[in-house]
Amino acid sequence: MIISQIKMKNWRNFRNVDTPLGRRMFLVGANALGKSNFLDALRFLRDIAKTEGGGLQRAVSERGGISKIRCLAARKEPQAGGQVCS
């Protein structure tokens, strides 16, 4: 499966992201802009889909719980979510 688009809402330091993904992507930017958090969203999806020892609860707990994943600006909209298009 090739992921062609990722949408994130209230994920770590992102309020709302809708990004098309190409065959090869480069994340470039200054420190503390969210490059690692963007990659962690993809790792989170991988962890959910693992056949052995995976799942949503484990992926969330490995990241320190939902409060560590949820965007700090999410007080107004507390629901975290996302969508992947393939």
Side-chain angles (χ1 to χ4, degrees), residues 19-52:
T19 304
L21 301 174
R23 188 169 174 97
R24 182 179 295 165
M25 299 293 296
F26 298 94
L27 292 176
V28 180
N31 291 341
L33 289 181
K35 298 179 298 291
S36 296
N37 290 337
F38 187 87
L39 292 174
D40 187 53
L42 297 174
R43 285 190 293 265
F44 182 77
L45 294 172
R46 179 204 60 199
D47 292 348
I48 290 172
K50 284 182 184 176
T51 56
E52 292 184 26

